[in-house]
Amino acid sequence: EVQLVESGGGLVQPGGSLRLSCAASGFTFSDHYMDWVRQAPGKGLEWVGRIRNKANSYTTEYAASVKGRFSISRDDSKNSLYLQMNSLKTEDTAVYYCTRAILVAGRTHFDYWGQGTLVTVSS
Amino acid sequence: DIQLTQSPSFLSASVGDRVTITCRASQGISSDLAWYQQKPGKAPKVLIYAASTLQSGVPSRFSGSGSGTEFTLTISSLQPEDFATYYCQQRNSYPITFGQGTRLEIK
């Protein structure tokens, strides 16, 4: 059974940093692209960024709203995905979901999601 | 960036109804569209990908169609468990974007 379990959320002051983790199990983690998607309270879904697999040199993509502040990494030996968030703003307050991206005909969609972890940026 | 606009934003319907949600892209995205269902307090769940391919395990009352800039998600006969919020998502180019959501409520 595929499982994605996020951790590391919490309350942080504006300008602060936080590192989210996602523990994956039930599939060959190293084969897959992995993404972070967030959802502000009462709002819609916003894609945060992606890290590709080793075969694609672990390259990354980011939304403009987080580029230069957030960094995605992975440790395939630990089946883990990370989101390092720096210079946090109040508008980064959201539930952050770890997602598995499945590649079909050269395009991806998100077939598994974690339960999410809440990040609150407030003074 | 490719903008996705869903209509309607809110839909009230009854069990057994046939409902259709539309997603319009600001530029052509071929068939690179997925649909998700989200229930309160839960993570989204993929229903349809590549515009019309049903994800494994999803009931056949859900169907998707369209290509280019206009797409639809149809639920042929609403069941009580279908009342949720639905999102489209384009996977044609970066940044990946979602529609604003359609909230489907019981009439």
Side-chain angles (χ1 to χ4, degrees):
Chain A
E1 178 194 7
V2 172
Q3 283 199 315
L4 299 170
V5 180
E6 303 94 337
S7 60
L11 176 63
V12 60
Q13 292 189 335
S17 297
L18 206 59
R19 188 195 197 205
L20 304 184
S21 299
C22 171
S25 60
F27 65 103
T28 305
F29 179 76
S30 59
D31 285 350
H32 289 270
Y33 296 5
M34 297 296 296
D35 292 52
W36 290 95
V37 174
R38 69 184 181 183
Q39 186 169 36
K43 302 297 184 182
L45 301 169
E46 180 186 17
W47 176 76
V48 172
R50 162 169 293 172
I51 186 164
R52 297 181 180 86
N53 54 14
K54 182 179 181 180
N56 289 278
S57 305
Y58 298 124
T59 52
T60 54
E61 306 282 349
Y62 296 96
S65 58
V66 306
K67 196 168 187 178
R69 301 188 299 122
F70 289 14
S71 176
I72 299 174
S73 60
R74 63 191 294 164
D75 185 338
D76 290 349
S77 68
K78 295 181 178 179
N79 289 342
S80 293
L81 175 71
Y82 305 102
L83 178 65
Q84 177 66 44
M85 304 185 292
N86 299 329
S87 303
L88 281 160
K89 306 176 181 180
T90 55
E91 53 264 40
D92 295 318
T93 294
V95 173
Y96 284 74
Y97 293 103
C98 164
T99 70
R100 186 179 87 165
I102 191 79
L103 195 65
V104 176
R107 298 285 188 258
T108 56
H109 61 277
F110 307 124
D111 65 343
Y112 285 95
W113 298 63
Q115 84 287 352
T117 188
L118 176 62
V119 172
T120 302
V121 184
S122 174
S123 54
Chain B
D1 297 4
I2 296 174
Q3 309 301 319
L4 298 177
T5 303
Q6 292 181 229
S7 59
S9 294
F10 178 83
L11 182 56
S12 180
S14 301
V15 172
D17 284 354
R18 177 184 180 91
V19 299
T20 297
I21 299 169
T22 298
C23 178
R24 290 187 174 86
S26 59
Q27 61 191 78
I29 57 170
S30 185
S31 297
D32 299 333
L33 190 96
W35 289 96
Y36 298 84
Q37 176 194 66
Q38 186 180 32
K39 296 182 179 179
K42 300 294 186 183
K45 167 188 167 183
V46 64
L47 301 173
I48 302 281
Y49 63 92
S52 61
T53 303
L54 195 68
Q55 175 75 5
S56 176
V58 173
S60 59
R61 63 181 179 273
F62 291 92
S63 63
S65 65
S67 66
T69 61
E70 187 154 333
F71 302 85
T72 59
L73 172 70
T74 299
I75 309 172
S76 60
S77 178
L78 274 174
Q79 299 302 300
E81 60 268 30
D82 300 337
F83 292 93
T85 300
Y86 293 84
Y87 295 92
C88 56
Q89 173 240 322
Q90 67 84 17
R91 56 193 196 133
N92 181 264
S93 64
Y94 294 102
I96 293 168
T97 50
F98 290 88
Q100 83 279 12
T102 294
R103 186 176 173 188
L104 176 55
E105 291 201 341
I106 300 174
K107 184 181 287 185

